[in-house]
Amino acid sequence: DAGVTQSPTHLIKTRGQQVTLRCSPKSGHDTVSWYQQALGQGPQFIFQYYEEEERQRGNFPDRFSGHQFPNYSSELNVNALLLGDSALYLCASSLHPGTSAQETQYFGPGTRLLVL
Amino acid sequence: AQSVTQPDIHITVSEGASLELRCNYSYGATPYLFWYVQSPGQGLQLLLKYFSGDTLVQGIKGFEAEFKRSQSSFNLRKPSVHWSDAAEYFCAVVLGGDYKLSFGAGTTVTVRA
């Protein structure tokens, strides 16, 4: 049973560049959430996708955008990178809203982004 | 304001000793409660969760947690820690019908021989 997978594992970018991170959900899951974890902090919710639509968004600027594909995989895009965007980006998958235990999210290993 | 608090930033425990990690939440309603563990450079692994029912919840790796409504707490315990338990532990909550997990700041556990 494949768990949540993310790519790439590490990434180095410079300020002002754009980045795309990818996530494949756990088998049987159709909902994907993205979190940002700065060094020494707990993860912060960015947004969640279900049925290819953004369902809920955290307190992140419009530079952060996403997409979900028909196979439930998802991308996180960040434009105009800032030094403060350096973090571990975590993807989590879950069952769709309205199902039992929808709130249980399973996390991938993350993508570590360094912005120079 | 809604919040999740983990009062202990860092705990050091001897191998074989017991461990207790504290978590308090401040929400209008009782949220769903989770504990996750994160090893260095890794993602988050779900240890256990509480939605309703029995307030003592068993998880993986020998961990358990107790929900106390009167104290708005969900403390994590392990009777005897192993060196492999050294990691960062996060308490998280989600309100029913909501979609986002809200995390505490985490507690780092160091295990000494």
Side-chain angles (χ1 to χ4, degrees):
Chain A
D1 181 19
V4 180
T5 60
Q6 294 185 243
S7 63
T9 55
H10 295 80
L11 206 50
I12 300 175
K13 293 286 188 178
T14 57
R15 282 179 297 174
Q17 285 190 312
Q18 178 265 344
V19 68
T20 297
L21 311 181
R22 296 176 176 82
C23 171
S24 292
K26 179 179 168 68
S27 178
H29 286 179
D30 55 11
T31 300
V32 173
S33 303
W34 287 92
Y35 293 80
Q36 180 195 65
Q37 186 180 18
L39 199 61
Q41 298 182 23
Q44 298 291 319
F45 176 78
I46 303 175
F47 43 53
Q48 184 183 82
Y49 276 83
Y50 168 60
E51 289 187 330
E52 303 179 46
E53 290 186 2
E54 183 182 291
R55 292 284 165 159
Q56 188 173 4
R57 188 179 184 91
N59 189 25
F60 280 81
D62 292 345
R63 298 186 298 108
F64 289 77
S65 64
H67 187 77
Q68 186 178 35
F69 300 93
N71 67 353
Y72 310 127
S73 66
S74 176
E75 289 182 348
L76 165 65
N77 300 291
V78 187
N79 295 321
L81 284 167
L82 304 174
L83 296 180
D85 294 331
S86 295
L88 180 67
Y89 288 85
L90 295 163
C91 170
S93 74
S94 57
L95 293 170
H96 59 266
T99 56
S100 174
Q102 69 182 62
E103 296 84 356
T104 303
Q105 298 183 21
Y106 295 87
F107 285 80
T111 294
R112 187 161 298 280
L113 172 64
L114 177 61
V115 182
L116 301 176
Chain B
Q2 297 179 335
S3 66
V4 182
T5 303
Q6 293 181 245
D8 305 303
I9 297 174
H10 192 185
I11 287 180
T12 299
V13 61
S14 297
E15 191 169 16
S18 64
L19 174 68
E20 181 167 13
L21 304 181
R22 296 182 290 165
C23 173
N24 295 95
Y25 61 89
S26 175
Y27 284 80
T30 299
Y32 300 129
L33 300 155
F34 304 82
W35 276 99
Y36 286 88
V37 61
Q38 185 175 38
S39 297
Q42 302 298 312
L44 300 170
Q45 182 180 22
L46 178 66
L47 285 175
L48 47 77
K49 59 187 178 183
Y50 174 78
F51 284 5
S52 65
D54 192 347
T55 56
L56 186 62
V57 180
Q58 301 298 317
I60 63 171
K61 304 186 177 186
F63 284 93
E64 66 178 25
E66 185 173 13
F67 168 62
K68 292 186 177 180
R69 185 187 304 275
S70 61
Q71 299 178 17
S72 297
S73 69
F74 188 55
N75 294 348
L76 181 71
R77 297 193 294 254
K78 185 169 185 177
S80 177
V81 299
H82 185 262
W83 64 265
S84 61
D85 293 324
E88 187 149 23
Y89 292 78
F90 292 96
C91 179
V93 308
V94 63
L95 288 173
D98 200 354
Y99 304 131
K100 66 175 184 180
L101 279 165
S102 296
F103 286 85
T107 298
T108 301
V109 173
T110 298
V111 181
R112 62 184 174 213

